[in-house]
């Protein structure tokens, strides 16, 4: 029998977990086994911008939201953030954040918008000509 780092006997199967790892919750437990966001037709791209809606619960509201949902709401409360920023700020996998954002969207807590695609932005050449024209005035 081997000893663990505290000098006691090592428990079978404990070599993958230590006291510094903290609580371990599987991603499917946070999403109820779901892998896709709730509303049909909504895509949560990494660069999709998430804004807190006026209908979102306040910091003191005791709602049926889970701790992960509340963490995302608090991150959005400070400023509009992308899905990737929310995942990093909440220290959750992007897939989990997408499912949780789907829940929040269905509840009316958040709004999601996408940045303008590069193909729809004005051509840089045209913008430079406008700047040069304005400078000539």
């Amino acid at each position: 029998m081997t000893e663990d780092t505290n000098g006691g006997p090592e428990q079978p199967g404990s070599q993958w977990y230590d006291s510094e790892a903290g609580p371990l919750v599987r991603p499917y437990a946070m999403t109820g086994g779901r892998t896709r966001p709730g509303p049909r037709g909504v895509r949560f791209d990494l660069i999709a911008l998430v804004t807190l809606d006026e209908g979102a619960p306040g910091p003191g509201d005791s709602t049926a939201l889970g701790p992960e949902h509340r963490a995302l709401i608090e991150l959005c409360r400070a400023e509009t953030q992308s899905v990737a920023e929310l995942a990093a700020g909440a220290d959750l996998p992007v897939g989990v954040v997408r499912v949780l954002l789907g829940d929040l969207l269905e509840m009316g807590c958040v709004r999601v918008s996408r940045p303008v695609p590069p193909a729809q932005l004005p051509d840089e050449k045209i913008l430079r000509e406008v700047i040069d024209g304005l400078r000539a005035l």
Side-chain angles (χ1 to χ4, degrees), residues 24-111:
L24 179 67
V25 177
R26 299 280 182 206
Y28 61 80
M30 290 181 232
T31 63
R34 297 169 294 142
T35 58
R36 296 181 192 266
R40 291 244 180 241
V42 176
R43 291 185 53 224
F44 294 103
D45 299 333
L46 290 175
I47 59 172
L49 299 174
V50 181
T51 307
L52 196 62
D53 198 79
E54 293 82 27
D61 292 348
S62 64
T63 62
L65 295 176
E68 294 82 15
H69 289 101
R70 286 193 298 272
L72 293 176
I73 286 174
E74 289 307 311
L75 288 169
C76 290
R77 194 173 305 283
E79 64 182 327
T80 298
Q81 295 194 30
S82 70
V83 173
E85 290 171 322
L86 288 172
D91 196 25
L92 294 171
V94 174
V96 170
V97 170
R98 286 178 172 150
V99 173
L100 297 175
L101 286 175
D103 296 344
L104 293 173
L105 185 65
E106 283 183 331
M107 289 185 261
C109 296
V110 297
R111 286 179 277 132

